[in-house]
PDB file of all heavy atoms in Angstrom:
ATOM      1  N   GLU G 268     -27.488  41.931  12.720  1.00 84.00           N
ATOM      2  CA  GLU G 268     -27.839  40.577  13.150  1.00 84.00           C
ATOM      3  C   GLU G 268     -27.870  39.668  11.925  1.00 84.00           C
ATOM      4  O   GLU G 268     -28.392  40.048  10.895  1.00 84.00           O
ATOM      5  CB  GLU G 268     -29.215  40.568  13.832  1.00 84.00           C
ATOM      6  CG  GLU G 268     -29.138  40.873  15.314  1.00 84.00           C
ATOM      7  CD  GLU G 268     -30.419  41.497  15.843  1.00 84.00           C
ATOM      8  OE1 GLU G 268     -31.451  40.824  15.740  1.00 84.00           O
ATOM      9  OE2 GLU G 268     -30.369  42.645  16.326  1.00 84.00           O
ATOM     10  N   THR G 269     -27.281  38.496  12.061  1.00 82.00           N
ATOM     11  CA  THR G 269     -27.326  37.557  10.942  1.00 82.00           C
ATOM     12  C   THR G 269     -27.775  36.202  11.469  1.00 82.00           C
ATOM     13  O   THR G 269     -27.518  35.856  12.621  1.00 82.00           O
ATOM     14  CB  THR G 269     -25.941  37.348  10.295  1.00 82.00           C
ATOM     15  OG1 THR G 269     -25.053  36.871  11.292  1.00 82.00           O
ATOM     16  CG2 THR G 269     -25.421  38.613   9.688  1.00 82.00           C
ATOM     17  N   SER G 270     -28.445  35.480  10.611  1.00 82.00           N
ATOM     18  CA  SER G 270     -28.699  34.090  10.971  1.00 82.00           C
ATOM     19  C   SER G 270     -28.397  33.255   9.744  1.00 82.00           C
ATOM     20  O   SER G 270     -28.808  33.579   8.627  1.00 82.00           O
ATOM     21  CB  SER G 270     -30.130  33.890  11.442  1.00 82.00           C
ATOM     22  OG  SER G 270     -31.010  34.072  10.373  1.00 82.00           O
ATOM     23  N   GLU G 271     -27.645  32.207   9.970  1.00 83.00           N
ATOM     24  CA  GLU G 271     -27.187  31.364   8.867  1.00 83.00           C
ATOM     25  C   GLU G 271     -27.840  30.007   9.017  1.00 83.00           C
ATOM     26  O   GLU G 271     -27.737  29.361  10.062  1.00 83.00           O
ATOM     27  CB  GLU G 271     -25.657  31.237   8.952  1.00 83.00           C
ATOM     28  CG  GLU G 271     -25.041  30.567   7.764  1.00 83.00           C
ATOM     29  CD  GLU G 271     -23.546  30.295   7.994  1.00 83.00           C
ATOM     30  OE1 GLU G 271     -23.028  30.688   9.054  1.00 83.00           O
ATOM     31  OE2 GLU G 271     -22.937  29.699   7.107  1.00 83.00           O
ATOM     32  N   ASP G 272     -28.512  29.571   7.965  1.00 84.00           N
ATOM     33  CA  ASP G 272     -29.163  28.267   8.004  1.00 84.00           C
ATOM     34  C   ASP G 272     -28.185  27.223   7.469  1.00 84.00           C
ATOM     35  O   ASP G 272     -27.868  27.204   6.286  1.00 84.00           O
ATOM     36  CB  ASP G 272     -30.429  28.305   7.139  1.00 84.00           C
ATOM     37  CG  ASP G 272     -31.240  27.024   7.281  1.00 84.00           C
ATOM     38  OD1 ASP G 272     -30.694  26.038   7.817  1.00 84.00           O
ATOM     39  OD2 ASP G 272     -32.415  27.032   6.871  1.00 84.00           O
ATOM     40  N   VAL G 273     -27.687  26.368   8.338  1.00 85.00           N
ATOM     41  CA  VAL G 273     -26.731  25.348   7.905  1.00 85.00           C
ATOM     42  C   VAL G 273     -27.356  23.960   7.896  1.00 85.00           C
ATOM     43  O   VAL G 273     -26.651  22.956   7.876  1.00 85.00           O
ATOM     44  CB  VAL G 273     -25.468  25.340   8.803  1.00 85.00           C
ATOM     45  CG1 VAL G 273     -24.695  26.629   8.642  1.00 85.00           C
ATOM     46  CG2 VAL G 273     -25.817  25.091  10.240  1.00 85.00           C
ATOM     47  N   THR G 274     -28.689  23.924   7.898  1.00 87.00           N
ATOM     48  CA  THR G 274     -29.387  22.634   7.982  1.00 87.00           C
ATOM     49  C   THR G 274     -28.887  21.653   6.911  1.00 87.00           C
ATOM     50  O   THR G 274     -28.542  20.516   7.210  1.00 87.00           O
ATOM     51  CB  THR G 274     -30.896  22.840   7.809  1.00 87.00           C
ATOM     52  OG1 THR G 274     -31.310  23.859   8.706  1.00 87.00           O
ATOM     53  CG2 THR G 274     -31.651  21.559   8.101  1.00 87.00           C
ATOM     54  N   GLU G 275     -28.812  22.167   5.684  1.00 83.00           N
ATOM     55  CA  GLU G 275     -28.445  21.280   4.586  1.00 83.00           C
ATOM     56  C   GLU G 275     -27.036  20.711   4.769  1.00 83.00           C
ATOM     57  O   GLU G 275     -26.801  19.515   4.638  1.00 83.00           O
ATOM     58  CB  GLU G 275     -28.512  22.070   3.278  1.00 83.00           C
ATOM     59  CG  GLU G 275     -28.653  21.195   2.058  1.00 83.00           C
ATOM     60  CD  GLU G 275     -28.748  22.056   0.798  1.00 83.00           C
ATOM     61  OE1 GLU G 275     -29.452  23.095   0.839  1.00 83.00           O
ATOM     62  OE2 GLU G 275     -28.106  21.717  -0.189  1.00 83.00           O
ATOM     63  N   ARG G 276     -26.125  21.616   5.121  1.00 83.00           N
ATOM     64  CA  ARG G 276     -24.753  21.170   5.333  1.00 83.00           C
ATOM     65  C   ARG G 276     -24.673  20.218   6.518  1.00 83.00           C
ATOM     66  O   ARG G 276     -23.898  19.265   6.517  1.00 83.00           O
ATOM     67  CB  ARG G 276     -23.832  22.374   5.548  1.00 83.00           C
ATOM     68  CG  ARG G 276     -23.536  23.116   4.245  1.00 83.00           C
ATOM     69  CD  ARG G 276     -23.205  24.566   4.495  1.00 83.00           C
ATOM     70  NE  ARG G 276     -21.887  24.734   5.092  1.00 83.00           N
ATOM     71  CZ  ARG G 276     -21.504  25.845   5.723  1.00 83.00           C
ATOM     72  NH1 ARG G 276     -22.344  26.861   5.841  1.00 83.00           N
ATOM     73  NH2 ARG G 276     -20.308  25.937   6.231  1.00 83.00           N
ATOM     74  N   TYR G 277     -25.483  20.506   7.519  1.00 88.00           N
ATOM     75  CA  TYR G 277     -25.487  19.671   8.714  1.00 88.00           C
ATOM     76  C   TYR G 277     -25.928  18.245   8.360  1.00 88.00           C
ATOM     77  O   TYR G 277     -25.259  17.274   8.713  1.00 88.00           O
ATOM     78  CB  TYR G 277     -26.440  20.275   9.747  1.00 88.00           C
ATOM     79  CG  TYR G 277     -26.351  19.651  11.116  1.00 88.00           C
ATOM     80  CD1 TYR G 277     -25.497  20.194  12.080  1.00 88.00           C
ATOM     81  CD2 TYR G 277     -27.113  18.546  11.449  1.00 88.00           C
ATOM     82  CE1 TYR G 277     -25.412  19.641  13.338  1.00 88.00           C
ATOM     83  CE2 TYR G 277     -27.024  17.977  12.708  1.00 88.00           C
ATOM     84  CZ  TYR G 277     -26.173  18.524  13.657  1.00 88.00           C
ATOM     85  OH  TYR G 277     -26.088  17.980  14.892  1.00 88.00           O
ATOM     86  N   VAL G 278     -27.015  18.138   7.616  1.00 87.00           N
ATOM     87  CA  VAL G 278     -27.529  16.827   7.232  1.00 87.00           C
ATOM     88  C   VAL G 278     -26.550  16.107   6.316  1.00 87.00           C
ATOM     89  O   VAL G 278     -26.280  14.915   6.476  1.00 87.00           O
ATOM     90  CB  VAL G 278     -28.914  16.979   6.570  1.00 87.00           C
ATOM     91  CG1 VAL G 278     -29.382  15.644   5.999  1.00 87.00           C
ATOM     92  CG2 VAL G 278     -29.915  17.509   7.569  1.00 87.00           C
ATOM     93  N   ASP G 279     -25.990  16.856   5.361  1.00 86.00           N
ATOM     94  CA  ASP G 279     -24.983  16.268   4.476  1.00 86.00           C
ATOM     95  C   ASP G 279     -23.829  15.685   5.272  1.00 86.00           C
ATOM     96  O   ASP G 279     -23.363  14.574   5.006  1.00 86.00           O
ATOM     97  CB  ASP G 279     -24.417  17.343   3.522  1.00 86.00           C
ATOM     98  CG  ASP G 279     -25.371  17.622   2.382  1.00 86.00           C
ATOM     99  OD1 ASP G 279     -26.381  16.906   2.280  1.00 86.00           O
ATOM    100  OD2 ASP G 279     -25.105  18.563   1.613  1.00 86.00           O
ATOM    101  N   THR G 280     -23.359  16.469   6.227  1.00 89.00           N
ATOM    102  CA  THR G 280     -22.233  16.032   7.036  1.00 89.00           C
ATOM    103  C   THR G 280     -22.575  14.784   7.826  1.00 89.00           C
ATOM    104  O   THR G 280     -21.768  13.868   7.946  1.00 89.00           O
ATOM    105  CB  THR G 280     -21.785  17.159   7.988  1.00 89.00           C
ATOM    106  OG1 THR G 280     -21.566  18.337   7.219  1.00 89.00           O
ATOM    107  CG2 THR G 280     -20.522  16.793   8.729  1.00 89.00           C
ATOM    108  N   GLN G 281     -23.808  14.744   8.315  1.00 88.00           N
ATOM    109  CA  GLN G 281     -24.246  13.561   9.055  1.00 88.00           C
ATOM    110  C   GLN G 281     -24.211  12.309   8.189  1.00 88.00           C
ATOM    111  O   GLN G 281     -23.713  11.269   8.613  1.00 88.00           O
ATOM    112  CB  GLN G 281     -25.668  13.768   9.577  1.00 88.00           C
ATOM    113  CG  GLN G 281     -25.720  14.543  10.871  1.00 88.00           C
ATOM    114  CD  GLN G 281     -27.149  14.711  11.348  1.00 88.00           C
ATOM    115  OE1 GLN G 281     -28.077  14.648  10.543  1.00 88.00           O
ATOM    116  NE2 GLN G 281     -27.312  14.921  12.619  1.00 88.00           N
ATOM    117  N   SER G 282     -24.736  12.426   6.960  1.00 87.00           N
ATOM    118  CA  SER G 282     -24.773  11.210   6.142  1.00 87.00           C
ATOM    119  C   SER G 282     -23.377  10.836   5.670  1.00 87.00           C
ATOM    120  O   SER G 282     -23.045   9.652   5.558  1.00 87.00           O
ATOM    121  CB  SER G 282     -25.748  11.357   4.971  1.00 87.00           C
ATOM    122  OG  SER G 282     -25.717  12.647   4.472  1.00 87.00           O
ATOM    123  N   ARG G 283     -22.557  11.880   5.433  1.00 87.00           N
ATOM    124  CA  ARG G 283     -21.166  11.604   5.049  1.00 87.00           C
ATOM    125  C   ARG G 283     -20.466  10.841   6.177  1.00 87.00           C
ATOM    126  O   ARG G 283     -19.744   9.881   5.954  1.00 87.00           O
ATOM    127  CB  ARG G 283     -20.459  12.932   4.784  1.00 87.00           C
ATOM    128  CG  ARG G 283     -18.968  12.865   4.625  1.00 87.00           C
ATOM    129  CD  ARG G 283     -18.538  13.353   3.235  1.00 87.00           C
ATOM    130  NE  ARG G 283     -17.129  13.100   2.985  1.00 87.00           N
ATOM    131  CZ  ARG G 283     -16.665  11.926   2.552  1.00 87.00           C
ATOM    132  NH1 ARG G 283     -17.484  10.931   2.303  1.00 87.00           N
ATOM    133  NH2 ARG G 283     -15.369  11.760   2.344  1.00 87.00           N
ATOM    134  N   LEU G 284     -20.740  11.287   7.396  1.00 90.00           N
ATOM    135  CA  LEU G 284     -20.142  10.669   8.573  1.00 90.00           C
ATOM    136  C   LEU G 284     -20.564   9.209   8.691  1.00 90.00           C
ATOM    137  O   LEU G 284     -19.762   8.324   8.977  1.00 90.00           O
ATOM    138  CB  LEU G 284     -20.574  11.449   9.817  1.00 90.00           C
ATOM    139  CG  LEU G 284     -19.774  11.277  11.097  1.00 90.00           C
ATOM    140  CD1 LEU G 284     -18.299  11.547  10.847  1.00 90.00           C
ATOM    141  CD2 LEU G 284     -20.300  12.238  12.145  1.00 90.00           C
ATOM    142  N   GLU G 285     -21.842   8.980   8.412  1.00 90.00           N
ATOM    143  CA  GLU G 285     -22.362   7.626   8.486  1.00 90.00           C
ATOM    144  C   GLU G 285     -21.656   6.724   7.475  1.00 90.00           C
ATOM    145  O   GLU G 285     -21.233   5.620   7.789  1.00 90.00           O
ATOM    146  CB  GLU G 285     -23.866   7.658   8.207  1.00 90.00           C
ATOM    147  CG  GLU G 285     -24.603   6.461   8.723  1.00 90.00           C
ATOM    148  CD  GLU G 285     -26.110   6.665   8.611  1.00 90.00           C
ATOM    149  OE1 GLU G 285     -26.533   7.836   8.445  1.00 90.00           O
ATOM    150  OE2 GLU G 285     -26.840   5.685   8.660  1.00 90.00           O
ATOM    151  N   ALA G 286     -21.513   7.239   6.261  1.00 88.00           N
ATOM    152  CA  ALA G 286     -20.842   6.470   5.207  1.00 88.00           C
ATOM    153  C   ALA G 286     -19.391   6.185   5.589  1.00 88.00           C
ATOM    154  O   ALA G 286     -18.889   5.082   5.386  1.00 88.00           O
ATOM    155  CB  ALA G 286     -20.895   7.242   3.894  1.00 88.00           C
ATOM    156  N   LEU G 287     -18.735   7.197   6.170  1.00 90.00           N
ATOM    157  CA  LEU G 287     -17.334   7.017   6.563  1.00 90.00           C
ATOM    158  C   LEU G 287     -17.201   5.959   7.649  1.00 90.00           C
ATOM    159  O   LEU G 287     -16.267   5.168   7.642  1.00 90.00           O
ATOM    160  CB  LEU G 287     -16.762   8.350   7.063  1.00 90.00           C
ATOM    161  CG  LEU G 287     -16.426   9.385   5.989  1.00 90.00           C
ATOM    162  CD1 LEU G 287     -16.165  10.737   6.616  1.00 90.00           C
ATOM    163  CD2 LEU G 287     -15.219   8.927   5.193  1.00 90.00           C
ATOM    164  N   ARG G 288     -18.157   5.953   8.570  1.00 91.00           N
ATOM    165  CA  ARG G 288     -18.092   4.964   9.652  1.00 91.00           C
ATOM    166  C   ARG G 288     -18.265   3.556   9.107  1.00 91.00           C
ATOM    167  O   ARG G 288     -17.593   2.621   9.535  1.00 91.00           O
ATOM    168  CB  ARG G 288     -19.166   5.265  10.700  1.00 91.00           C
ATOM    169  CG  ARG G 288     -18.869   6.509  11.488  1.00 91.00           C
ATOM    170  CD  ARG G 288     -19.376   6.384  12.917  1.00 91.00           C
ATOM    171  NE  ARG G 288     -19.041   7.574  13.667  1.00 91.00           N
ATOM    172  CZ  ARG G 288     -19.851   8.624  13.774  1.00 91.00           C
ATOM    173  NH1 ARG G 288     -21.025   8.594  13.204  1.00 91.00           N
ATOM    174  NH2 ARG G 288     -19.478   9.681  14.467  1.00 91.00           N
TER     175      ARG G 288
END
Side-chain angles (χ1 to χ4, degrees):
Chain G
E268 273 153 61
T269 58
S270 68
E271 189 188 357
D272 187 346
V273 294
T274 309
E275 201 179 318
R276 285 154 73 198
Y277 190 92
V278 173
D279 282 354
T280 307
Q281 277 180 336
S282 37
R283 169 119 189 83
L284 198 54
E285 201 171 343
L287 284 168
R288 290 213 178 92

